[in-house]
Amino acid sequence: MDTLDFFKFLIEPIINKKLVLVTDSKLMVDIEISSVYGEPGPTDLKSKLIRLFHSKTSGGVPFGSWAKGFNLQPNSSAKVNIFFTGENERPPYGDWDAYLSFDLHDFGSKNAYLPLWWITCTDLAGQKNAPYLDEVITVESLLKSRKPSFKTRKKFCVAFIGKAYPFRMQALSALSEIQKVEVFGAIARKDAKSKFKESQNYKFVFAFENDLYPGYVTEKVIEAWATGAIPLYWGSDPANYINPKAVINLADFDSMMEFVDFVKEVNANSKLWEEIASQPILLKRPDLSDVNRVLQKALAGLK
């Protein structure tokens, strides 16, 4: 399931109409869903997560040009304007009808918390496989403890990285003082055939967020845990979904040195590794009720 299918899943039951793709951005539409991801680049929904959706009951949902999030404004050619982001972008100021974001502020009851990792759960919106790991990741499995084996994981740590954010690279360098960290992705010019299969060899999967901001939790920590390894994490989850006992989070330590020293200790202690790796990654179940409430209010005039 891609993001367009996810929004169909959310919106169609509310308006009791089918959403279809509009390819002409000049048309007047019923709903426009706008989003901004990273730096400007070519429009490519699946690989770049660029999303500018339009919907129309007799038309559809096109993918349009980039706009910087802090300058983005609602489109006067749409009856309802919704801003969505699962990445580290603040919801823009303006006369928006609704925001769906990882931001925990309610922005006058217009914003609902929708972190990117919710969309990767295969039983939350009906998709077959998680879009990034290409494996089944159900909420039920994330809520359960497991029995991992330290002996079967001979290697230290693996990282799948597309962008060389400085703090991320500093952490990789520090961890490499323990043992070699195997790096795949654009920065290493080496791709893994399967992130899931490759990770089976490692005790830890490096899973740093792009930024440290309250509520900004992407698929990284969930995917890392789903491989059976311990996520080496850097993120902030004040909504209290992620089990702190299931990850080693640099944000919980006073320094990089303390973080690395603890990882070194766990790496050398099979009992401690298995104690952490056996923990469920989730403390509670995701709930789309607030998302539905915000959307129902925004879309009331289209029913």
Side-chain angles (χ1 to χ4, degrees):
M1 173 179 286
D2 62 24
T3 309
L4 174 57
D5 288 332
F6 181 71
F7 276 103
K8 287 183 177 180
F9 171 82
L10 291 175
I11 292 174
E12 287 181 347
I14 296 175
I15 63 175
N16 197 29
K17 299 174 184 176
K18 292 291 185 181
L19 295 183
V20 286
L21 184 64
V22 169
T23 57
D24 186 350
S25 61
K26 296 178 181 179
L27 289 177
M28 179 70 186
V29 295
D30 291 319
I31 306 167
E32 180 171 312
I33 303 176
S34 303
S35 188
V36 178
Y37 279 77
E39 294 301 318
T43 299
D44 182 346
L45 174 70
K46 292 184 178 179
S47 65
K48 299 297 184 182
L49 298 178
I50 303 167
R51 303 179 178 107
L52 177 59
F53 306 139
H54 296 269
S55 67
K56 187 178 181 182
T57 54
S58 60
V61 183
F63 305 95
S65 61
W66 285 80
K68 280 294 184 183
F70 43 80
N71 289 328
L72 191 62
Q73 289 297 304
N75 188 346
S76 60
S77 296
K79 294 178 182 178
V80 176
N81 280 275
I82 299 169
F83 178 84
F84 163 73
T85 182
E87 269 298 347
N88 52 334
E89 294 277 351
R90 306 269 62 73
Y93 179 78
D95 191 21
W96 296 85
D97 296 289
Y99 303 107
L100 302 175
S101 73
F102 65 87
D103 206 306
L104 296 169
H105 297 286
D106 67 2
F107 294 108
S109 298
K110 288 186 176 182
N111 181 58
Y113 185 57
L114 182 61
L116 188 59
W117 70 267
W118 287 17
I119 302 176
T120 69
C121 293
T122 54
D123 55 348
L124 193 62
Q127 63 264 52
K128 293 181 180 179
N129 285 338
Y132 305 105
L133 196 62
D134 198 28
E135 292 286 330
V136 174
I137 304 179
T138 66
V139 172
E140 294 302 322
S141 67
L142 301 175
L143 288 163
K144 294 179 180 179
S145 59
R146 57 190 183 179
K147 295 182 179 180
S149 173
F150 181 88
K151 293 181 179 180
T152 62
R153 294 177 177 264
K154 305 297 184 181
K155 298 182 180 180
F156 171 51
C157 181
V158 64
F160 304 94
I161 298 176
K163 295 181 179 180
Y165 290 102
F167 190 68
R168 177 181 288 165
M169 302 311 295
Q170 293 284 359
L172 280 176
S173 178
L175 288 166
S176 296
E177 296 297 320
I178 302 174
Q179 287 182 32
K180 179 182 178 181
V181 177
E182 192 72 45
V183 181
F184 294 89
I187 67 167
R189 298 183 180 179
K190 179 174 64 173
D191 292 326
K193 292 182 179 179
S194 167
K195 290 171 64 175
F196 182 81
K197 290 180 181 179
E198 183 64 40
S199 298
Q200 305 305 302
N201 301 313
Y202 295 87
K203 300 180 182 71
F204 305 95
V205 171
F206 188 85
F208 275 37
E209 301 292 2
N210 296 344
D211 195 8
L212 188 69
Y213 192 92
Y216 174 49
V217 183
T218 66
E219 81 290 345
K220 295 179 179 65
V221 66
I222 299 296
E223 283 191 354
W225 184 90
T227 67
I230 294 175
L232 299 184
Y233 190 49
W234 182 60
S236 176
D237 176 43
N240 297 318
Y241 283 96
I242 305 301
N243 181 4
K245 295 181 180 179
V247 304
I248 302 177
N249 190 347
L250 173 56
D252 294 334
F253 293 83
D254 291 332
S255 68
M256 180 79 74
M257 184 178 296
E258 287 188 12
F259 167 74
V260 172
D261 284 346
F262 185 69
V263 173
K264 183 177 181 180
E265 178 184 352
V266 176
N267 184 53
N269 187 325
S270 61
K271 184 177 180 180
L272 182 56
W273 184 91
E274 290 179 352
E275 180 182 326
I276 297 171
S278 67
Q279 291 282 335
I281 189 63
L282 291 189
L283 294 174
K284 59 184 178 181
R285 189 181 305 275
D287 184 358
L288 287 171
S289 60
D290 198 38
V291 172
N292 288 327
R293 176 189 60 78
V294 167
L295 288 177
Q296 284 172 359
K297 183 178 180 181
L299 300 169
L302 300 181
K303 295 181 182 179

